[in-house]
Amino acid sequence: MPDQSRPRSSGKPLAQQYDVALLDLDGVVYVGPHAVAGAVAALAQARDVGMRLAFVTNNAARTASTVADHLSDLGVPAVASDVTTSSQAAAHYLAERLPTGAKVLAVGAEGLTAALLERGLRPVQSADENPEAVVQGYSPDTNWEMLAEATVAVLGGALWVATNLDATLPSPRGPLPGNGSLVAAVATATGQRPVATGKPDPTMHRETLERSGANHPLVVGDRLDTDIAGAVAVGCASLLVLSGVTTPKSLLKASPDERPDYLGLDVSALLAAHPPVVRDGTEYSCGSWRAGGSWTGFTLRRVDDDAPATTEFIDDGLDPLRALCACVWSVNLPTDSPLEITAVAPEADRVLRDFGLLRTATEV
């Protein structure tokens, strides 16, 4: 399993080091109907150097074919077999436990119904039809009546499966309620918790690995609790991109099973080598940046200001964050602990503010 104690280095571009990228979609390739800036060109270049692309999404609303068509329309050619959705994972889970033709109360969109039918299960809409299971996936059209039917069926003893527990999903307007928020309503009403088959459960990534035939895969995602935790669970290396929901603040406080191997602003990070993070006692350096300290507080400073700039590694402005991650992760602070970071010199102060990490003696 990859070492999550500090960000890893790569002496050559990730697209040349790994054979298949297992790409999350929302917040990585697109946000809503629009591609993330630069993503289409970056993925085309990754393919040009030999990396294959597979798409793994916790979004259960659309079919794999619809997702593939959307990607193709954006300029990222894809077919249905390139896509694994959380609806497919949930339907697979249920098909292994229920007889063919079993009734399943489906709370979700077209993608969920299609996945159930593909597995020989019978979608129904009412608890009065005595379903053997309830499966709940995200749909923007989910209403109180649907949640009520799910509640009645779960309280009646039906097996309850959620495609994922993502509390939010990205949008051009910012985070919006995701499937996890809707699942929480049924959980509150029933006092029960569902089986969740989407990321971070390793089922989805394992299925994608089998489909793609990957030998040396790299998971690419924007969420710590699903994409990165899922990569850790299945034993894959991971790249966290900051084009979605994760902030530098939440990254620094990531638990050991949610720490990525590589960092990037977006998927263009696939096209570059990544710098090493070097330990020197209680300090960690990356490029010309050094972070030091302990659980009582941390410092960030720039060193070797007169040294010539190197073009060997990615130039994305994240070296100070890489050094800070290694330093903070090394002490394994509880995720709810306050974190104090002191900026040494104005340039370091500016970097911390750009990352949303305020200066000395401020909780972040």
Side-chain angles (χ1 to χ4, degrees):
M1 180 176 293
D3 176 14
Q4 260 66 39
S5 63
R6 72 179 90 165
R8 296 169 64 184
S9 64
S10 171
K12 57 184 178 181
L14 299 181
Q16 296 178 21
Q17 181 169 332
Y18 297 91
D19 64 341
V20 179
L22 277 56
L23 292 142
D24 181 51
L25 292 175
D26 289 315
V28 177
V29 180
Y30 53 67
V31 175
H34 305 295
V36 171
V40 173
L43 293 177
Q45 291 179 59
R47 276 176 160 157
D48 286 345
V49 298
M51 176 174 258
R52 290 182 288 127
L53 308 182
F55 306 96
V56 190
T57 177
N58 264 1
N59 190 325
R62 298 186 292 176
T63 66
S65 294
T66 302
V67 172
D69 288 344
H70 183 197
L71 287 166
S72 297
D73 289 343
L74 293 175
V76 183
V79 295
S81 59
D82 296 328
V83 179
T84 302
T85 72
S86 58
S87 285
Q88 292 173 319
H92 191 170
Y93 178 90
L94 289 170
E96 291 179 336
R97 290 159 177 80
L98 301 176
T100 300
K103 296 177 182 178
V104 178
L105 177 63
V107 181
E110 176 191 9
L112 187 57
T113 301
L116 293 172
L117 290 171
E118 287 171 1
R119 290 289 179 176
L121 301 171
R122 180 182 169 190
V124 298
Q125 282 73 50
S126 172
D128 294 338
E129 297 188 59
N130 299 315
E132 295 185 47
V134 174
V135 61
Q136 190 171 352
Y138 172 76
S139 169
D141 298 320
T142 297
N143 57 30
W144 180 90
E145 183 178 355
M146 297 174 184
L147 298 177
E149 292 300 317
T151 298
V152 172
V154 170
L155 289 175
L159 171 63
W160 183 23
V161 173
T163 59
N164 67 85
L165 297 177
D166 296 3
T168 63
L169 53 84
S171 84
R173 300 170 63 196
L176 299 177
N179 195 53
S181 296
L182 301 174
V183 167
V186 179
T188 299
T190 62
Q192 299 185 37
R193 298 288 295 174
V195 173
T197 56
K199 296 176 287 186
D201 187 277
T203 301
M204 288 184 65
H205 283 140
R206 284 176 182 156
E207 187 166 341
T208 308
L209 291 173
E210 292 175 3
R211 289 186 185 188
S212 65
N215 294 312
H216 198 36
L218 177 70
V219 172
V220 184
D222 70 310
R223 300 185 71 105
L224 299 172
D225 58 345
T226 57
D227 303 317
I228 306 307
V232 174
V234 81
C236 289
S238 62
L239 164 66
L240 176 77
V241 294
L242 299 180
S243 52
V245 300
T246 297
T247 64
K249 183 186 301 185
S250 57
L251 175 61
L252 287 173
K253 292 191 173 184
S255 60
D257 59 355
E258 296 182 352
R259 294 172 182 169
D261 296 285
Y262 306 100
L263 307 179
L265 291 175
D266 50 47
V267 291
S268 64
L270 293 171
L271 307 175
H274 287 242
V277 179
V278 180
R279 180 179 179 179
D280 181 9
T282 60
E283 292 191 323
Y284 292 81
S285 60
C286 183
S288 59
W289 290 91
R290 179 167 293 191
S294 65
W295 64 271
T296 56
F298 303 88
T299 60
L300 177 69
R301 61 192 174 96
R302 182 159 188 154
V303 296
D304 298 329
D305 288 330
D306 297 329
T310 176
T311 58
E312 180 181 359
F313 298 112
I314 190 169
D315 181 18
D316 56 5
L318 295 184
D319 284 356
L321 184 59
R322 294 181 176 96
L324 278 170
C325 281
C327 191
V328 175
W329 292 351
S330 70
V331 300
N332 285 316
L333 284 174
T335 56
D336 58 350
S337 295
L339 182 62
E340 296 181 0
I341 304 176
T342 301
V344 180
E347 187 170 6
D349 182 85
R350 176 189 57 76
V351 166
L352 290 182
R353 291 183 178 276
D354 287 346
F355 287 155
L357 306 170
L358 301 182
R359 52 185 296 173
T360 310
T362 300
E363 285 192 9
V364 298

